[in-house]
């Protein structure tokens, strides 16, 4: 049943792109610019369809119509551009887009935190690991209550083989989560295994399977 469902989702996304193109064309006929929200949604749909190059083209056209004084729209534009550039593997350009967000919006904004995480991810990809960890630490300072920020930090620690720190980060993410997350439990199990705590690793793996018995990666790992 997974394949038909996936095909249906792709069909709906393609229909959405066609509808949004029609919105753009109608706006041009009327001598107006297409609503930015419609263009941003079109870019998101194109990314979901595996077409980041087309999404980037749409966003470039959007940027031309945004006034420099509209800080919030510019920040959202930069956020989408950064995500698309990451998909394209253009990490240096994504860092620039994230920097534009960071300098233009207040630190209390969720977009500011997302920009820190994305810029940290890009620094990691280009081998600037110290800068990557610095960005993730700043994100935690700005949003210490967000489980997803601690989870992202744990993933970075795990990626760079800082396994003890990964265990701590995933533990914090698990405590802050509203419900037991099998995904976090699985990641912490990997970190625990890496530090040699096999018993605790198996315990977390079993927790993940109790919540989601069909979780394939956990089943294979066990």
């Amino acid at each position: 049943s997974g394949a038909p469902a996936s095909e249906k989702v792709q069909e709906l996304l393609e229909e959405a792109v066609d509808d949004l193109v029609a919105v753009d064309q109608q706006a041009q006929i009327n001598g107006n610019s297409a609503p930015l929200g419609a263009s941003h949604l079109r870019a998101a749909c194109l990314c979901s369809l595996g077409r980041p190059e087309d999404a980037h083209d749409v966003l470039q056209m959007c940027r031309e119509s945004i006034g420099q004084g509209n800080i919030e729209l510019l920040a959202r534009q930069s956020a989408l551009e950064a995500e698309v550039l990451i998909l394209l593997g253009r990490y240096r350009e994504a860092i620039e887009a994230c920097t534009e967000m960071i300098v233009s919006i207040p630190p209390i904004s969720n977009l500011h935190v997302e920009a820190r995480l994305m810029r940290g991810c890009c620094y990691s990809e280009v081998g600037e690991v110290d800068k990557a960890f610095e960005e993730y630490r700043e994100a935690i300072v700005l949003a210490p209550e967000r489980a997803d920020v601690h989870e992202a930090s744990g993933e970075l620690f795990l990626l760079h083989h800082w396994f003890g720190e990964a265990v701590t980060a995933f533990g914090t993410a698990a405590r802050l989560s509203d419900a037991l997350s099998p995904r976090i439990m699985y990641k912490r199990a990997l970190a625990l295994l890496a530090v040699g705590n096999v018993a605790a690793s198996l315990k977390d793996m079993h927790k993940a399977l109790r919540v989601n018995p069909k979780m394939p990666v956990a089943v294979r790992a066990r």
Side-chain angles (χ1 to χ4, degrees), residues 113 136-150 172-173 175-176:
V113 176
Y136 276 64
R137 280 193 293 270
E138 186 62 29
I140 290 174
V141 169
L142 293 170
E145 76 292 346
R146 282 181 51 178
D148 62 320
V149 174
H150 290 278
T172 303
R175 286 197 304 276
L176 292 172

Side-chain angles (χ1 to χ4, degrees), residues 24-34:
D24 189 14
Q25 292 172 340
Q26 187 60 50
Q28 291 179 18
I29 291 171
N30 295 335
N32 301 317
S33 298

Side-chain angles (χ1 to χ4, degrees), residues 159-173:
L159 177 65
H160 293 287
H161 297 178
W162 291 33
F163 300 121
E165 290 81 357
V167 170
T168 301
F170 289 134
T172 303

